[in-house]
């Protein structure tokens, strides 16, 4: 169907509409990666280097897209990746949860989200709670227990972050809180985007820069930068710490941020249920290769001992098929759904998910496959120098 006012046909169109609709600083917060953006660009560009080997006859009338991720059945292999404070739309993570639930898929909720887990999980029970390693073991366990009490189906620990905020094109101004100074700085940019302003006025609220999922009993909700400062000051976890948390949690457990086969093996050793091959969307250590280049070596290193997901650069259903052919069980998407939300709120998120789901089915048809579980590297044309792999230490 052709694009209309309330529907867009591609994620690229969602991005264009989000750019037009959002204040510049909000849009830039969704766009940029670390330093020169080499990793961010490669995350997307690497998919273009992979070709398909299509078939033309005996094509399947129906295609099976369903799978399971951390014990949750999902009708197509796409999971919402956890992303931080969402000032893109007043509904924030609640709207994302509704959109994902409408299509039956699971959602990762960031510990830096703008909406509390108890509110979000009401809209989508297939929810995995994501946490950085912030504070001591007691603090980590307290947040995990709150997530368990709310009904979270799994725990995601994200480790791919080196606190590098430098961007060659500049970082947008993000206020500590919405006060007079913030309103003064944002007044003209927001007023110049009437659609964005109208949504917030209609909601009767202002963008909330607090992070309610990081609050501990007896404390006030920290601001984004207050929580960020605590995170910076927390020593990075050891594998012993991660094994301890996995044991304390006792349920489905994912390590997110793996790019090295040795780390993938360590995730297996501590008993993790799943791992995500991720470079934080290009916001971690710039010059790290695209995740799709690293996926085959990691999948080979762990075999079927752990669920392998890929996060980074997914813009269309054919990208998902390429990831599955190279060893992923499913993918996680971040910028794609945030652009959808920027373009058209909850409906825009749903729109993006439908585009990607339908693209998976169409690509399977072209390859002559009746199921995502039939995909192998033989379905792809892979350049000789495509993959990247660190040598085993």
């Amino acid at each position: 169907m052709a694009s209309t006012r309330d529907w867009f046909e591609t994620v690229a169109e969602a991005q264009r509409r989000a750019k037009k609709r959002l204040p510049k600083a909000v849009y830039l917060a969704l766009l940029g990666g670390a330093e020169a953006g080499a990793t961010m660009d490669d995350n997307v560009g690497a998919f273009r280097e992979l070709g398909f080997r299509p078939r033309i006859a005996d094509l399947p009338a129906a295609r099976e897209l369903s799978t399971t991720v951390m014990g949750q059945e999902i009708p197509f292999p796409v999971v919402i990746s956890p992303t931080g404070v969402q000032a893109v739309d007043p509904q924030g993570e609640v709207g994302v949860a509704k959109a994902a639930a409408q299509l039956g898929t699971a959602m990762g909720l960031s510990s830096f989200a703008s909406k509390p887990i108890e509110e979000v999980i009401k809209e989508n029970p297939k929810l995995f709670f994501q946490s950085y390693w912030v504070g001591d073991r007691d603090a980590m366990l307290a947040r995990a227990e709150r997530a368990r009490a709310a009904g979270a189906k799994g725990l995601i620990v994200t480790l791919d972050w080196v606190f590098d905020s430098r961007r060659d094109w500049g970082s947008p101004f993000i206020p500590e809180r919405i006060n007079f100074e913030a309103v003064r700085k944002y007044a003209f940019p927001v007023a110049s985007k009437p659609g964005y302003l109208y949504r917030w006025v209609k909601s009767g609220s202002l963008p909330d820069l607090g992070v309610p999922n990081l609050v501990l009993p007896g404390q006030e909700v920290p601001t984004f930068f207050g929580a960020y400062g605590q995170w910076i000051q927390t020593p990075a976890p050891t594998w012993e710490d991660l094994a301890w948390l996995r044991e304390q949690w006792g349920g489905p457990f994912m390590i997110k941020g793996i790019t090295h086969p040795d780390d993938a093996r360590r995730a297996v050793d501590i008993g993790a249920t799943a791992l995500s091959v991720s470079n934080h969307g290009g916001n971690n250590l710039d010059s790290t290769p695209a995740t799709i280049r690293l996926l085959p070596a990691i999948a080979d290193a762990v075999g079927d001992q752990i669920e392998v997901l890929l996060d980074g650069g997914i813009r269309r259903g054919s990208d998902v098929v390429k990831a599955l052919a190279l060893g992923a069980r499913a993918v996680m998407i971040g910028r794609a759904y945030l652009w959808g939300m920027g373009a058209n709120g909850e409906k825009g998120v749903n729109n993006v998910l439908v585009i990607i789901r339908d693209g998976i089915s169409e690509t399977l048809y072209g390859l002559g496959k009746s199921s995502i579980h039939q995909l192998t590297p033989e379905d792809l044309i892979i350049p000789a120098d495509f993959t990247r792999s660190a040598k085993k230490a």
Side-chain angles (χ1 to χ4, degrees):
M1 62 185 294
S3 293
T4 65
R5 179 179 177 181
D6 295 320
W7 177 265
F8 41 83
E9 290 187 286
T10 67
V11 173
E13 177 63 19
Q15 182 181 356
R16 286 191 289 269
R17 294 189 186 191
K19 183 178 182 180
K20 183 177 180 180
R21 194 171 190 180
L22 297 175
K24 183 177 180 180
V26 177
Y27 175 73
L28 287 178
L30 304 182
L31 180 68
E35 296 192 329
T39 294
M40 178 183 67
D41 292 342
D42 197 36
N43 272 352
V44 177
F47 280 100
R48 300 191 187 108
E49 297 178 25
L50 294 169
F52 285 120
R53 303 175 68 187
R55 309 307 290 264
I56 61 168
D58 294 326
L59 303 182
R63 277 79 65 192
E64 175 58 55
L65 309 186
S66 64
T67 190
T68 60
V69 172
M70 293 215 291
Q72 299 303 300
E73 294 184 4
I74 53 176
F76 59 106
V78 178
V79 174
I80 294 292
S81 191
T83 60
V85 176
Q86 295 175 2
V88 178
D89 185 87
Q91 281 193 297
E93 295 84 4
V94 171
V96 175
K98 289 180 178 179
Q102 287 166 14
L103 295 175
T105 198
M107 172 182 182
L109 178 69
S110 174
S111 54
F112 275 66
S114 63
K115 303 291 185 183
I117 185 173
E118 294 83 1
E119 187 176 339
V120 179
I121 204 167
K122 287 179 182 178
E123 306 299 339
N124 190 342
K126 295 179 182 179
L127 186 142
F128 309 131
F129 181 69
Q130 176 272 345
S131 182
Y132 299 101
W133 196 271
V134 180
D136 59 17
R137 283 187 174 190
D138 288 342
M140 289 295 297
L141 185 57
R143 295 186 191 104
E145 291 299 343
R146 176 183 170 187
R148 189 200 308 278
K153 300 301 190 294
L155 188 65
I156 300 172
V157 181
T158 300
L159 301 175
D160 54 338
W161 192 263
V162 296
F163 304 106
D164 179 359
S165 60
R166 292 172 294 278
R167 297 176 177 179
D168 286 8
W169 50 89
S171 297
F173 167 71
I174 301 176
E176 172 73 13
R177 55 178 55 84
I178 301 299
N179 52 23
F180 176 79
E181 178 63 16
V183 171
R184 183 186 68 80
K185 285 192 174 185
Y186 272 122
F188 178 75
V190 170
S192 69
K193 302 292 183 179
Y196 178 81
L197 178 60
Y198 173 75
R199 279 183 287 176
W200 283 100
V201 171
K202 184 178 179 182
S203 74
S205 61
L206 291 172
D208 188 352
L209 301 181
V211 285
N213 293 313
L214 276 176
V215 67
L216 295 173
Q219 296 181 353
E220 293 184 359
V221 175
T223 64
F224 177 87
F225 284 107
Y228 191 82
Q230 185 183 359
W231 179 22
I232 290 174
Q233 296 171 45
T234 301
T238 64
W239 282 106
E240 183 181 349
D241 289 325
L242 296 170
W244 167 84
L245 183 59
R246 186 214 60 77
E247 184 176 358
Q248 294 296 316
W249 174 252
F253 187 88
M254 177 190 290
I255 299 291
K256 184 175 182 291
I258 287 179
T259 58
H260 196 297
D262 285 353
D263 286 340
R265 295 183 187 96
R266 294 300 297 270
V268 172
D269 291 343
I270 69 165
T273 311
L275 65 84
S276 174
V277 183
S278 171
N279 52 41
H280 220 104
N283 273 296
N284 185 32
L285 188 62
D286 201 24
S287 294
T288 301
T291 52
I292 191 67
R293 298 189 193 279
L294 301 171
L295 173 63
I298 290 173
D300 287 346
V302 300
D304 60 0
Q305 300 175 89
I306 190 171
E307 297 175 10
V308 176
L309 283 80
L310 177 128
D311 190 329
I314 299 294
R315 300 292 183 267
R316 49 190 59 82
S318 59
D319 294 340
V320 179
V321 171
K322 291 172 182 178
L324 270 55
L326 292 180
R329 174 184 289 253
V331 304
M332 304 177 82
I333 62 169
R335 284 189 180 89
Y337 80 81
L338 290 173
W339 287 328
M341 184 162 59
N344 197 22
E346 176 192 330
K347 292 181 180 178
V349 179
N350 181 279
N351 194 157
V352 163
L353 288 170
V354 169
I355 288 168
I356 295 176
R357 180 199 64 188
D358 292 354
I360 297 169
S361 181
E362 292 158 3
T363 306
L364 285 180
Y365 182 78
L367 293 174
K369 302 290 184 180
S370 61
S371 170
I372 58 171
H373 304 290
Q374 296 173 346
L375 293 166
T376 73
E378 295 300 312
D379 295 307
L380 305 180
I381 299 170
I382 307 170
D385 61 348
F386 178 78
T387 58
R388 306 285 188 272
S389 176
K391 292 182 178 180
K392 187 174 184 229

